[in-house]
């Protein structure tokens, strides 16, 4: 306001409005007006400064000590990626923001996929059920990476409340069915699947996956428009379905796959124009090979003369497809820069191509040299690629807000797609090369990762029990026998006890057949004849 001085000139006086004390500390130190946006003010975000938050929000030592252990971890977001003019509470908007800048990238795994970078966000802008599903998944993802989950695999009460709200909202949305409602249900099925597998609830997760696959099959037959979105959604379901198929050692359900109409066995793979095309083609090839194995498991290790010619023909066709895929992928790689070729998204495809080739080359008919060779250059190259991927991830990932606890030396990672856990498990279990098998096992138990149904620590515990059982079987005096056993893989050493030709993970929705066989085998070594065998420390052999 202005007043007149004695000389008649107007002079400025301070307004009586109380001075705001809720601006961020960074702006206050720099003596500029803060816009007071939370959790990071716009001025700090635009200038690249670290927004220290408001003085009023700084906790006192007493309040910090009184904070419950079950409270959600802090959200320290450093930049904006979505507008905050969206419905919901401030906490909801913070969780959506977290999902945008960190959660979606990690859930996508080693690849940048349209489903996670575009589809879910577009759908969430006009579908409340998707938005709520994102809020609940973001809350759980933050809990998981911060180590806030309980050992029993349950989530915090407020996270479960958010999830229940999302389920109810989707149910109400489906009461008015239309094309958008179907797409909403498909996107939510993926998000709900990710929620359940993060908790380790395999049965509930596969129910969401099965429901989504059924809807997708119907939608693909009647779809009109938005084909790009449908491709992104279909690709994500292909990834999840293959992941579950590999884990349970058979398809999620006996049904016609919704993408079968695009499959032409023996057809040449066309040159790839982008990485998502290579990704889709490789998933289809691996899926076809795994179905071939599941459908003809009785012939897995049979001699060639005992295998039907149709099975042999399909295996040769599959091998040709994998060779053609590699040629197309190499041509695609040649068109890229060196930096792009070394990215994790490209390297992970080579990992899956290598592991698929070894798995399928070893059967129909049996070829024990694929995994039994010592040394094994194919397995060594596969392991080198995985090590490069994890090193690259470690060097490029900034320390998130959820990794501030000194009790968590390594960042916990959860993603939706196939990554490195299944290949590491296969190498540790199947490879007879002792050096490669040992390195794969040590890497498996050192990474803190969950990739869908695959939890690294759990798979490492199964391998660990087999390794200790190997020592218990031969005993400390049986050095010569143990040395001979080292030329066999763990799988072949315990082949009969682990179910023979029934495969590694014969399905039971709560736990795999393979897991039950390992537990039974371990119990037999611990309590043979009613006497408990003293557990020996695990060696590095």
């Amino acid at each position: 306001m202005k007043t007149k001085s004695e000389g008649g000139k107007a002079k400025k006086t301070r307004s009586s409005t109380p001075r705001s004390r809720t601006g961020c500390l960074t702006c206050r130190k720099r003596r500029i007006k803060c816009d007071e946006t939370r959790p990071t003010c716009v001025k700090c975000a635009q200038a690249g400064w670290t927004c220290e938050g408001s003085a009023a929000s700084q906790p006192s030592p007493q309040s910090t000590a009184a904070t419950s252990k079950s409270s959600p971890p802090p959200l320290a977001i450093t930049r904006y990626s979505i507008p905050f003019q969206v419905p919901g509470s401030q906490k909801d908007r913070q969780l959506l923001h977290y999902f945008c800048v960190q959660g979606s990238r990690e859930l996508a795994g080693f690849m940048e996929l349209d489903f996670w970078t575009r589809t879910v966000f577009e759908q969430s802008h006009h579908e409340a059920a998707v938005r709520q599903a994102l809020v609940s998944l973001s809350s759980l993802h933050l809990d998981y990476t911060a180590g806030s989950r309980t050992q029993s695999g349950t989530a915090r009460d407020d996270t479960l409340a958010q999830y229940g709200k999302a389920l109810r909202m989707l149910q109400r949305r489906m009461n008015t069915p239309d094309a958008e409602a179907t797409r909403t249900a498909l996107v939510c099925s993926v998000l709900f699947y990710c929620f359940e597998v993060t908790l380790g609830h395999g049965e509930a997760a596969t129910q969401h996956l099965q429901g989504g696959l059924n809807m997708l099959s119907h939608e693909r037959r009647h779809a009109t428009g938005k084909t790009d979105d449908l491709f992104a959604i279909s690709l994500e379901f292909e990834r999840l379905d293959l992941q579950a198929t590999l884990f349970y050692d058979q398809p999620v359900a006996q049904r016609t796959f919704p993408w079968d109409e695009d499959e032409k066995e023996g057809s040449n793979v066309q040159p790839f124009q982008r990485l998502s095309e290579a990704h889709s083609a490789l998933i289809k090839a691996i899926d076809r090979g795994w179905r071939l194995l599941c459908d003809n498991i009785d012939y897995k290790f049979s001699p060639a003369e005992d295998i039907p010619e149709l099975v042999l023909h399909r295996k040769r066709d599959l091998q040709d497809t994998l060779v053609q895929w590699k040629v197309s992928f190499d041509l695609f790689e040649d068109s890229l820069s060196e930096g792009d070729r070394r990215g994790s998204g490209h390297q992970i495809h080579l990992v899956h191509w290598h592991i698929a080739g070894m798995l399928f080359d070893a059967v129909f008919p049996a070829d024990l040299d694929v995994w039994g060779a010592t040394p094994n250059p194919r397995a060594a190259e596969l392991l080198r690629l995985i090590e490069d991927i994890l090193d690259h991830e470690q060097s490029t990932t900034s320390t998130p807000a959820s990794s501030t606890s000194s009790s968590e030396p390594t960042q916990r990672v959860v993603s939706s797609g196939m990554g490195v856990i299944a290949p590491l498990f296969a190498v540790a279990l199947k490879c007879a090369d002792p050096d490669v098998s040992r390195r794969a096992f040590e890497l498996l138990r050192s990474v803190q990762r969950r990739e869908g149904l695959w939890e690294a620590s759990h798979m490492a515990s199964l391998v660990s029990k087999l390794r200790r059982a190997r020592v218990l079987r031969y005993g400390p005096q049986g050095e010569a026998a143990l040395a001979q056993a080292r030329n066999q893989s763990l799988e072949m050493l315990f082949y009969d006890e682990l179910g023979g030709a029934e495969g590694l993970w014969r399905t039971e929705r709560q736990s795999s057949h393979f897991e039950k066989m390992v537990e039974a085998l371990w119990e037999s070594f611990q309590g043979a004849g009613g006497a408990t065998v003293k557990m020996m420390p695990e060696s590095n052999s």
Side-chain angles (χ1 to χ4, degrees):
M1 60 182 293
K2 292 182 180 181
T3 61
K4 293 232 178 166
S5 66
E6 293 180 2
K9 294 183 179 180
K11 67 176 182 180
K12 296 179 180 179
T13 61
R14 284 191 59 155
S15 171
S16 61
T17 303
R19 182 178 179 181
S20 172
R21 297 187 180 274
T22 57
C24 79
L25 293 177
T26 304
C27 289
R28 293 184 67 185
K29 289 176 182 178
R30 295 177 180 272
R31 298 181 182 276
I32 62 176
K33 183 174 176 59
C34 181
D35 56 81
E36 303 182 19
T37 307
R38 298 289 178 267
T40 301
C41 75
V42 173
K43 290 197 175 182
C44 285
Q46 291 175 343
W49 303 328
T50 299
C51 187
E52 299 180 24
S54 67
S57 65
Q58 303 301 310
S60 65
Q62 293 81 3
S63 63
T64 302
T67 301
S68 170
K69 291 183 179 180
S70 64
S71 62
L75 283 167
I77 305 303
T78 58
R79 63 186 177 89
Y80 283 100
S81 294
I82 59 173
F84 266 35
Q85 289 77 18
V86 294
S89 67
Q90 181 182 11
K91 182 64 175 179
D92 291 349
R93 293 193 291 271
Q94 287 178 323
L95 287 168
L96 288 172
H97 194 65
Y98 165 80
F99 186 84
C100 186
V101 301
Q102 181 173 322
S104 62
R105 182 183 67 251
E106 292 182 4
L107 280 164
F110 295 107
M111 282 198 61
E112 185 172 315
L113 297 168
D114 285 347
F115 178 86
W116 293 104
T117 60
R118 180 177 58 84
T119 303
V120 291
F121 294 114
E122 291 181 353
Q123 202 73 16
S124 70
H125 286 166
H126 57 272
E127 291 289 348
V130 175
R131 189 161 56 247
Q132 182 60 41
L134 284 180
V135 168
S136 63
L137 181 57
S138 296
S139 181
L140 181 63
H141 186 271
L142 188 60
D143 290 348
Y144 185 93
T145 57
S148 298
R149 275 194 322 155
T150 62
Q151 292 298 316
S152 62
T154 59
R156 290 182 295 105
D157 288 344
D158 60 331
T159 299
L160 292 176
Q162 295 277 23
Y163 182 52
K165 183 178 179 181
L167 291 169
R168 293 189 297 273
M169 291 177 71
L170 178 62
Q171 187 176 27
R172 289 195 298 269
R173 179 66 178 90
M174 296 306 292
N175 289 333
T176 55
D178 53 37
E180 284 303 315
T182 300
R183 275 181 168 75
T184 295
L186 288 171
V187 172
C188 284
S189 293
V190 173
L191 301 180
F192 294 158
Y193 173 89
C194 293
F195 190 98
E196 296 290 357
V197 296
T198 302
L199 291 176
H201 299 164
E203 183 176 14
T206 51
Q207 288 176 354
H208 287 300
L209 178 60
Q210 180 66 72
L213 286 166
N214 291 339
M215 284 188 292
L216 180 61
S217 179
H218 180 271
E219 181 72 359
R220 282 173 64 92
R221 289 193 298 266
H222 302 90
T224 57
K226 292 195 176 182
T227 55
D228 289 342
D229 276 354
L230 196 59
F231 174 81
I233 293 172
S234 297
L235 180 56
E236 186 62 21
F237 271 102
E238 290 176 25
R239 292 186 346 133
L240 300 182
D241 184 86
L242 179 58
Q243 177 196 97
T245 296
L246 293 176
F247 185 80
Y248 289 123
D249 206 22
Q250 74 171 29
V252 172
Q254 298 299 327
R255 52 169 168 67
T256 301
F257 280 50
W259 43 90
D260 278 349
E261 60 265 28
D262 297 334
E263 177 185 310
K264 295 180 180 179
E265 294 191 10
S267 62
N268 293 331
V269 178
Q270 298 299 316
F272 305 124
Q273 300 301 314
R274 54 180 184 163
L275 192 58
S276 59
E277 292 181 8
H279 187 61
S280 180
L282 184 59
I283 286 177
K284 286 181 169 65
I286 297 174
D287 175 77
R288 181 153 56 91
W290 208 256
R291 279 187 284 161
L292 176 66
L293 179 59
C294 292
D295 292 342
N296 301 279
I297 196 69
D298 292 339
Y299 301 109
K300 182 178 179 180
F301 291 129
S302 299
E305 58 269 20
D306 294 340
I307 301 175
E309 181 58 35
L310 179 60
V311 175
L312 295 174
H313 169 75
R314 287 182 174 174
K315 181 197 170 175
R316 290 191 295 267
D317 183 76
L318 175 64
Q319 290 173 315
D320 289 343
T321 298
L322 289 173
V323 170
Q324 293 161 1
W325 182 93
K326 185 61 163 57
V327 171
S328 296
F329 189 75
D330 287 344
L331 291 173
F332 172 64
E333 294 274 274
D334 289 341
S335 67
L336 303 174
S337 65
E338 176 66 21
D340 289 337
R341 288 197 299 271
R342 290 186 58 81
S344 298
H346 293 257
Q347 296 283 78
I348 197 65
H349 285 86
L350 296 177
V351 167
H352 293 158
W353 178 81
H354 272 286
I355 191 69
M358 294 185 72
L359 288 171
F360 301 141
D361 287 350
V363 297
F364 303 147
D367 185 349
L368 299 182
D369 288 338
V370 173
W371 291 105
T374 303
N376 194 322
R378 290 181 70 179
E381 172 62 13
L382 172 61
L383 186 59
R384 183 195 66 79
L385 286 168
I386 294 176
E387 291 170 337
D388 285 350
I389 288 172
L390 294 176
D391 287 344
H392 181 267
E393 180 184 58
Q394 186 69 23
S395 65
T396 57
T397 302
S398 59
T399 302
S402 56
S403 296
T404 56
S405 172
S406 59
S407 63
E408 293 285 342
T410 306
Q411 178 187 353
R412 301 177 70 182
V413 176
V414 57
S415 66
S416 65
M418 291 174 56
V420 299
I421 298 177
L424 282 174
F425 178 67
V427 173
L429 184 72
K430 290 174 169 289
C431 186
D433 185 329
D435 178 63
V436 174
S437 176
R438 174 186 56 79
R439 286 163 52 204
F441 166 65
E442 290 177 350
L443 197 56
L444 185 62
R445 68 175 178 176
S446 68
V447 296
Q448 298 191 50
R449 303 184 69 89
R450 169 176 281 280
E451 294 167 348
L453 292 162
W454 297 82
E455 173 79 53
S457 61
H458 180 66
M459 307 315 294
S461 71
L462 296 180
V463 177
S464 177
K465 288 180 178 179
L466 289 178
R467 288 168 61 86
R468 285 181 282 178
R470 179 177 62 185
V471 177
L472 287 173
R473 164 171 282 185
Y474 292 98
Q477 288 75 37
E479 292 296 331
L482 181 57
Q484 181 180 4
R486 285 173 180 164
N487 293 326
Q488 298 184 41
S489 68
L490 291 172
E491 179 190 22
M492 296 307 298
L493 187 64
F494 299 109
Y495 181 77
D496 292 333
E497 292 94 332
L498 295 180
E502 290 189 12
L504 289 182
W505 307 287
R506 180 59 65 193
T507 185
E508 288 184 28
R509 284 294 180 253
Q510 292 295 342
S511 60
S512 64
H513 174 82
F514 177 74
E515 178 182 345
K516 290 189 174 184
M517 292 297 99
V518 171
E519 296 297 341
L521 177 64
W522 180 241
E523 288 177 6
S524 71
F525 278 104
Q526 284 188 296
T532 300
V533 180
K534 184 179 180 180
M535 184 182 298
M536 298 179 62
E538 185 174 349
S539 68
N540 290 325
S541 61

